[in-house]
Amino acid sequence: MDNLSDTLKKLKITAVDKTEDSLEGCLDCLLQALAQNNTETSEKIQASGILQLFASLLTPQSSCKAKVANIIAEVAKNEFMRIPCVDAGLISPLVQLLNSKDQEVLLQTGRALGNICYDSHEGRSAVDQAGGAQIVIDHLRSLCSITDPANEKLLTVFCGMLMNYSNENDSLQAQLINMGVIPTLVKLLGIHCQNAALTEMCLVAFGNLAELESSKEQFASTNIAEELVKLFKKQIEHDKREMIFEVLAPLAENDAIKLQLVEAGLVECLLEIVQQKVDSDKEDDITELKTGSDLMVLLLLGDESMQKLFEGGKGSVFQRVLSWIPSNNHQLQLAGALAIANFARNDANCIHMVDNGIVEKLMDLLDRHVEDGNVTVQHAALSALRNLAIPAEAAEQLGKNVKLVERLVEWCEAKDHAGVMGESNRLLSALIRHSKSKDVIKTIVQSGGIKHLVTMATSEHVIMQNEALVALALIAALELGTAEKDLESAKLVQILHRLLADERSAPEIKYNSMVLICALMGSECLHKEVQDLAFLDVVSKLRSHENKSVAQQASLTEQRLTVES
């Protein structure tokens, strides 16, 4: 290290009068010292003040510019050297060198700038001000199709530089997107898919850029879906597949890309992974099974991609997903139930699935988890049933299914599992609201469901209160005689009085409570309860309510109460 001090002294003199031979010798000594002990050598370089002189050695005319850029790349591996490199004014001459035609100069300059930008706000700002990103993107474009190893190495360095430049910085990522980096990187991936280092760089770049909303449309206009699926099929290593998954997940949030991924054959790959990994207990395989099945569910969130995979209920994908529900793997059961909920986003699909026995499959799944209390799976299965119950025809079939209704009534009492309890209540209410069927109401009354709907009207969630009140109003309008005893013993009238008298009740709750009061007047015993509770006082106060609908309903209800008394 002693001769390092001599070298630095000598370099100061030769850098000023630029005696070529001794200058080259000094630079070689520095590179050697850096190779032996980078940190210590870098500290000495900084202390010697030599960095300031490097700017003059980076001119296009300088014969040793590649070596100097290499030295800067090496010292900038140390965090403490990045700001000094910026302060020494090295960024602007380095960016100028990006216009060189010499491959070695470009390679070392790209490394130097990439290392200075790594995790350094100052480095990035300086490169941004000097306009470095655009020049690098232009190089990537023009060198894209050349596949010799030296060029691929340069492309990898340039991709890495752009990554370090924009990592976790939204505005710089947006800048790169506006400069058109995405189509260029997708093209690179397609041409150089044999080159592991370059492929990996592209994937990391995609992963970063795909988080930005503005990138999705650009990605959708390229053939990224096809390239990623092609690459995915070739990968055997878990880590490589994981990297591709990390790009696929944010991209698949975009509906156009979902469809492209389905058309490129991603689903078949995912199904294959599931089949390979389902019985494995290796950590990596379990992760991959989860990632794969989650991604599958995500693809079904797009309307077009979902319909394409449903294929009128005949699709092999739909059939495979169905087979996940009775499997013994919790992750697959969960994904299967979520997938059914996604398939159930249009009426024809719901009716087809209900006709073909999906309800029994989901009920079996729920039964299996009531004991072990895997709440996530139960939740997903109940959500799927709730989606299936949206079309009237399907809601009627579900609501007349005595076994299902009895189960739901049971789960409405699952005090330990608030989520399951809430979902079961909402499903009971949905069966009535969507079917508007007397038979469904009778089934629910006979199974003891009324008291749960009345309790649901007191929920702390307005949406649940409302669903309960609408269902109860339908019961009162369609089957009051059948339900009156249960409504009476559940103290419905007292609850309605409380909801109307409570200042905090939402306007829609007040409105629906009054609609329900009017509907209950047809029952002698409930009518008597209404009279006993002085409803008129509460209702007449609501005539001046700020909400127009509430005020109007209050007038109607008041007339009704006056006439009937």
Side-chain angles (χ1 to χ4, degrees):
M1 275 296 181
D2 289 339
N3 60 351
L4 175 61
S5 312
D6 299 341
T7 303
L8 288 168
K9 281 183 196 142
K10 196 166 158 195
L11 191 56
K12 276 191 173 168
I13 301 159
T14 46
V16 178
D17 58 20
K18 297 191 173 56
T19 21
E20 301 276 324
D21 298 345
S22 47
L23 188 57
E24 292 277 340
C26 290
L27 294 173
D28 287 336
C29 281
L30 273 190
L31 281 168
Q32 235 170 337
L34 283 162
Q36 281 163 0
N37 187 333
N38 191 318
T39 311
E40 199 178 321
T41 308
S42 295
E43 283 167 350
K44 293 206 166 164
I45 288 176
Q46 191 192 355
S48 73
I50 199 93
L51 277 180
Q52 277 70 15
L53 297 177
F54 280 170
S56 66
L57 300 177
L58 289 171
T59 58
Q61 299 76 36
S62 161
S63 63
C64 54
K65 50 188 177 283
K67 264 183 195 155
V68 176
N70 187 357
I71 291 170
I72 297 170
E74 289 302 317
V75 300
K77 287 177 176 174
N78 303 287
E79 192 182 346
F80 67 85
M81 290 299 285
R82 290 174 199 145
I83 292 178
C85 284
V86 175
D87 293 343
L90 300 181
I91 301 296
S92 183
L94 282 169
V95 169
Q96 288 310 307
L97 285 183
L98 288 172
N99 296 308
S100 167
K101 298 277 177 280
D102 181 317
Q103 203 162 24
E104 179 63 15
V105 172
L106 288 174
L107 185 75
Q108 299 304 348
T109 306
R111 287 183 61 233
L113 289 168
N115 290 352
I116 292 171
C117 286
Y118 184 79
D119 236 354
S120 160
H121 170 68
E122 293 75 10
R124 291 169 181 182
S125 291
V127 174
D128 179 20
Q129 279 160 6
Q134 185 67 63
I135 306 174
V136 172
I137 291 178
D138 292 341
H139 276 306
L140 288 178
R141 252 184 229 130
S142 59
L143 301 171
C144 185
S145 321
I146 309 167
T147 54
D148 67 86
N151 187 59
E152 290 195 320
K153 190 175 172 191
L154 180 58
L155 290 170
T156 308
V157 164
F158 278 159
C159 282
M161 186 217 132
L162 290 179
M163 286 288 319
N164 288 352
Y165 171 69
S166 65
N167 189 24
E168 290 184 352
N169 182 315
D170 286 359
S171 65
L172 292 180
Q173 286 179 347
Q175 178 195 72
L176 295 183
I177 291 169
N178 292 337
M179 290 174 177
V181 76
I182 288 175
T184 307
L185 289 174
V186 174
K187 198 169 155 197
L188 271 182
L189 183 69
I191 295 171
H192 302 275
C193 55
Q194 302 302 330
N195 183 309
L198 186 47
T199 302
E200 208 159 299
M201 271 301 177
C202 287
L203 287 174
V204 177
F206 291 147
N208 282 355
L209 296 169
E211 298 293 335
L212 275 194
E213 239 356 88
S214 58
S215 73
K216 307 266 175 44
E217 274 165 32
Q218 283 227 14
F219 275 119
S221 63
T222 68
N223 61 339
I224 181 96
E226 204 181 312
E227 294 297 355
L228 288 175
V229 173
K230 202 162 69 185
L231 193 62
F232 192 81
K233 285 178 176 162
K234 280 197 291 214
Q235 298 307 331
I236 317 135
E237 294 167 54
H238 168 76
D239 294 349
K240 290 272 162 58
R241 296 219 302 214
E242 224 23 55
M243 272 189 94
I244 301 174
F245 271 141
E246 279 170 19
V247 181
L248 288 169
L251 286 179
E253 286 166 10
N254 174 285
D255 281 358
I257 300 176
K258 283 186 182 76
L259 190 59
Q260 292 168 5
L261 288 169
V262 168
E263 285 170 346
L266 178 60
V267 172
E268 288 70 16
C269 298
L270 297 176
L271 289 173
E272 202 173 304
I273 286 181
V274 166
Q275 207 168 357
Q276 290 165 1
K277 314 286 179 187
V278 66
D279 298 319
S280 165
D281 44 18
K282 286 195 359 224
E283 187 85 10
D284 281 355
D285 290 348
I286 294 170
T287 311
E288 215 164 299
L289 179 77
K290 178 174 171 20
T291 316
S293 52
D294 284 349
L295 189 51
M296 183 76 198
V297 173
L298 182 57
L299 291 176
L300 293 172
L301 276 172
D303 288 336
E304 280 185 84
S305 47
M306 180 270 288
Q307 269 320 90
K308 196 175 171 65
L309 295 171
F310 190 66
E311 291 179 68
K314 304 279 181 286
S316 60
V317 174
F318 171 64
Q319 296 301 332
R320 287 280 285 283
V321 169
L322 267 188
S323 73
W324 293 356
I325 294 176
S327 80
N328 289 318
N329 182 301
H330 285 187
Q331 171 58 35
L332 277 194
Q333 296 167 355
L334 174 64
L338 292 170
I340 296 301
N342 284 345
F343 279 126
R345 286 210 316 280
N346 76 40
D347 290 5
N349 292 7
C350 290
I351 292 163
H352 177 90
M353 289 191 278
V354 170
D355 286 346
N356 285 281
I358 187 67
V359 176
E360 289 63 33
K361 283 194 172 65
L362 290 168
M363 277 171 61
D364 290 345
L365 179 59
L366 281 161
D367 276 345
R368 288 163 69 180
H369 287 295
V370 170
E371 296 314 309
D372 71 7
N374 185 325
V375 183
T376 350
V377 176
Q378 284 175 291
H379 231 233
L382 286 163
S383 301
L385 285 166
R386 199 150 57 106
N387 278 8
L388 288 164
I390 290 173
E393 190 180 320
E396 177 138 19
Q397 277 200 54
L398 290 173
K400 291 197 299 204
N401 181 326
V402 177
K403 187 178 167 209
L404 170 66
V405 173
E406 284 176 348
R407 275 282 178 280
L408 288 175
V409 169
E410 227 172 273
W411 294 325
C412 284
E413 291 170 7
K415 297 269 188 292
D416 305 340
H417 307 303
V420 171
M421 193 166 95
E423 281 293 326
S424 304
N425 275 303
R426 292 188 75 182
L427 183 48
L428 267 188
S429 146
L431 294 177
I432 295 170
R433 288 180 298 116
H434 297 146
S435 71
K436 302 185 174 54
S437 146
K438 291 181 166 223
D439 290 338
V440 170
I441 294 172
K442 282 179 185 154
T443 310
I444 290 175
V445 172
Q446 280 151 12
S447 308
I450 294 294
K451 61 174 185 287
H452 297 300
L453 291 170
V454 175
T455 308
M456 183 178 162
T458 62
S459 159
E460 66 230 32
H461 304 292
V462 174
I463 190 161
M464 284 176 72
Q465 279 186 292
N466 224 9
E467 287 171 357
L469 290 170
V470 173
L472 289 165
L474 282 163
I475 293 171
L478 296 170
E479 276 296 322
L480 187 55
T482 318
E484 64 179 349
K485 285 276 163 286
D486 289 355
L487 293 170
E488 187 183 10
S489 60
K491 307 236 179 319
L492 174 62
V493 174
Q494 288 83 330
I495 286 170
L496 292 173
H497 190 274
R498 214 167 59 226
L499 289 175
L500 288 172
D502 188 343
E503 302 275 285
R504 291 162 310 181
S505 297
E508 59 268 40
I509 302 301
K510 295 198 152 136
Y511 177 85
N512 282 323
S513 297
M514 289 187 282
V515 170
L516 184 47
I517 286 292
C518 294
L520 296 177
M521 303 299 271
S523 148
E524 206 172 310
C525 56
L526 296 171
H527 183 171
K528 186 176 178 323
E529 287 194 355
V530 172
Q531 282 179 320
D532 294 347
L533 267 175
F535 264 85
L536 263 172
D537 304 349
V538 192
V539 172
S540 52
K541 277 191 195 137
L542 292 173
R543 280 196 340 223
S544 53
H545 196 279
E546 56 188 3
N547 181 301
K548 276 221 179 72
S549 307
V550 172
Q552 278 171 329
Q553 187 56 43
S555 299
L556 291 171
T557 309
E558 189 181 39
Q559 286 165 17
R560 186 77 194 269
L561 289 171
T562 320
V563 170
E564 302 275 343
S565 55

